[in-house]
Amino acid sequence: MEVKKKLLDVVRDKIRVKHYSLSTEKTYVHWIKCYILFHDKKHPIDMGKVEIEQYLTNLAVKNRVSPTTQNQAFSALLFLYKEVLGVDMSEWNIQALRAQERKHIPTVLTKEEVQDVIENINGVYNLVVSLMYGCGLRMKEVLNLRVKDIDFGFDKIYIWDSKSLKDRTIPLPQKLKNRLLIQVEEILKLHKQDLKDGFGSVSMPYAMQVKYPKAKYEGKWQFLFPMAKVSKDPRSGTIRRHHMHEKTLGRHIKQAALKANLNKRVTSHIFRHSYATHLLQAGIDLRTIQELLGHRSVETTMVYTHVVSQINKTKVLSPLDF
């Protein structure tokens, strides 16, 4: 007799079939579980527009979550109803009270401040942060880089299936080329040793593992910035070498900012903001910057014009200085 799976297990299975990341899986399961508990464990198939609106409104009014968090919860419910329960929500027209969104101008670092932070980071983390700034990469994009993604012949870096679901190429910073060549050599040596030790496989994107079952053992598929030790894959249970942990990289960035005596809140994303701002200041057109960043809409990129505008305002003298 086949045991019927619990709803959240079905959600997990569907997320994995869709090849969503582990972090997305955890986030969606969390919000769906909260939604069910909010309505006294009532099954979602017996709920609809009214219950969703009540839940999202409660998040905004009582829990006072940010617009991003509320949208995250809404996305999880959209996935639940459309992909898992097969319910068409197109005619529901959800009208929940939305969390108030504030328009923030991104914090950026000057070129000198970027250099100060980088100089205070040691080892491979220095190369990672240099690449994030030099290419305007998101943290996940730089950590998901594989050996094959660095094209030394044409001086390009390939970013596959990024946040905007739009593949793109970025010029390889010439100042980092030799360091990246050395990094690739080190990774391939490490990979050979892993194979000797009975490991050497790597997690593969999408259906590649099924289509090319031996590819996971190839050097070109290894992560460019791997962890120091092998570990158990949380999904498959396979012992393998994953990429560097996000929290570890974030901790090194924070420590470097403290050493540099910066009074700004320095995170991994600030290097992406700084990259775009510095390009704009150098006269690179907005459409090119949009493509380099992988933004779907130029409106997203336009926020950096406001950053430059704010910087230019600082050149205006105060009446006290006349």
Side-chain angles (χ1 to χ4, degrees):
M1 180 179 177
E2 185 178 353
V3 179
K4 188 176 181 180
K5 282 190 174 182
K6 294 182 179 179
L7 177 63
L8 293 182
D9 288 333
V10 177
V11 171
R12 291 187 184 94
D13 289 344
K14 195 67 176 180
I15 287 174
R16 294 175 188 183
V17 168
K18 291 284 184 178
H19 311 292
Y20 289 1
S21 68
L22 182 60
S23 60
T24 300
E25 177 183 323
K26 291 179 178 179
T27 300
Y28 278 19
V29 169
H30 166 75
W31 287 119
I32 292 170
K33 185 176 181 181
C34 289
Y35 169 65
I36 294 171
L37 292 176
F38 178 77
H39 289 293
D40 300 321
K41 298 184 179 180
K42 191 176 180 181
H43 197 286
I45 199 66
D46 298 321
M47 298 188 283
K49 171 181 166 67
V50 174
E51 287 81 4
I52 292 175
E53 290 178 344
Q54 289 173 347
Y55 176 61
L56 294 176
T57 298
N58 180 75
L59 289 178
V61 176
K62 187 175 180 180
N63 295 356
R64 297 184 179 181
V65 300
S66 69
T68 302
T69 301
Q70 190 188 40
N71 287 335
Q72 198 176 67
F74 189 30
S75 295
L77 297 183
L78 285 173
F79 182 88
L80 170 66
Y81 279 93
K82 181 181 178 181
E83 304 294 342
V84 180
L85 301 178
V87 176
D88 183 8
M89 298 175 62
S90 59
E91 297 181 358
W92 285 8
N93 190 24
I94 305 297
Q95 297 293 324
L97 181 63
R98 307 311 297 268
Q100 186 175 0
E101 184 172 3
R102 294 183 179 181
K103 297 294 183 181
H104 293 286
I105 295 179
T107 300
V108 299
L109 302 178
T110 64
K111 292 181 180 179
E112 293 74 21
E113 288 171 335
V114 169
Q115 193 60 37
D116 286 343
V117 174
I118 291 176
E119 287 177 354
N120 280 285
I121 300 180
N122 299 320
V124 69
Y125 301 100
N126 180 285
L127 179 57
V128 174
V129 175
S130 297
L131 199 58
M132 288 172 65
Y133 170 66
C135 297
L137 300 178
R138 303 176 178 95
M139 178 186 278
K140 286 188 177 181
E141 288 176 341
V142 73
L143 293 183
N144 280 320
L145 284 174
R146 315 264 181 159
V147 169
K148 67 178 185 60
D149 297 334
I150 311 298
D151 188 336
F152 293 105
F154 287 98
D155 290 334
K156 293 190 297 185
I157 296 177
Y158 292 88
I159 306 298
W160 305 104
D161 197 19
S162 60
K163 183 180 178 181
S164 62
L165 299 179
K166 183 180 179 182
D167 300 335
R168 67 188 195 277
T169 60
I170 299 169
L172 173 65
Q174 292 303 296
K175 286 188 176 181
L176 301 180
K177 187 171 182 177
N178 288 336
R179 293 177 64 188
L180 286 170
L181 280 166
I182 294 172
Q183 177 67 10
V184 169
E185 290 178 4
E186 292 298 320
I187 295 309
L188 295 179
K189 288 180 183 178
L190 182 63
H191 177 55
K192 286 182 179 180
Q193 186 59 50
D194 283 345
L195 289 171
K196 288 181 180 180
D197 294 338
F199 307 116
S201 72
V202 68
S203 59
M204 298 292 289
Y206 310 114
M208 290 292 293
Q209 186 169 344
V210 177
K211 191 173 183 179
Y212 304 105
K214 294 183 179 180
K216 61 184 177 183
Y217 294 105
E218 296 177 8
K220 67 181 180 182
W221 280 100
Q222 303 305 304
F223 287 111
L224 187 62
F225 301 110
M227 295 181 71
K229 298 180 180 179
V230 294
S231 59
K232 181 184 288 189
D233 188 303
R235 282 178 168 173
S236 67
T238 305
I239 303 298
R240 56 172 47 135
R241 196 179 296 274
H242 199 54
H243 63 61
M244 181 187 296
H245 201 286
E246 294 178 14
K247 289 184 178 179
T248 305
L249 176 57
R251 184 168 62 248
H252 277 80
I253 292 173
K254 183 178 180 179
Q255 291 172 350
L258 290 173
K259 291 179 182 178
N261 296 316
L262 295 185
N263 292 320
K264 296 178 180 178
R265 181 174 176 268
V266 180
T267 64
S268 62
H269 215 65
I270 204 171
F271 297 102
R272 180 173 165 86
H273 293 324
S274 302
Y275 165 86
T277 302
H278 297 164
L279 285 182
L280 201 58
Q281 288 178 309
I284 306 300
D285 66 275
L286 202 63
R287 184 68 68 178
T288 298
I289 296 174
Q290 175 197 353
E291 292 178 358
L292 290 170
L293 293 175
H295 288 160
R296 289 183 179 178
S297 169
V298 72
E299 292 181 1
T300 307
T301 317
M302 283 182 66
V303 68
Y304 298 109
T305 62
H306 299 300
V307 175
V308 174
S309 174
Q310 292 297 320
I311 293 173
N312 290 339
K313 283 182 182 178
T314 62
K315 298 178 182 178
V316 178
L317 291 175
S318 163
L320 286 173
D321 298 324
F322 288 168

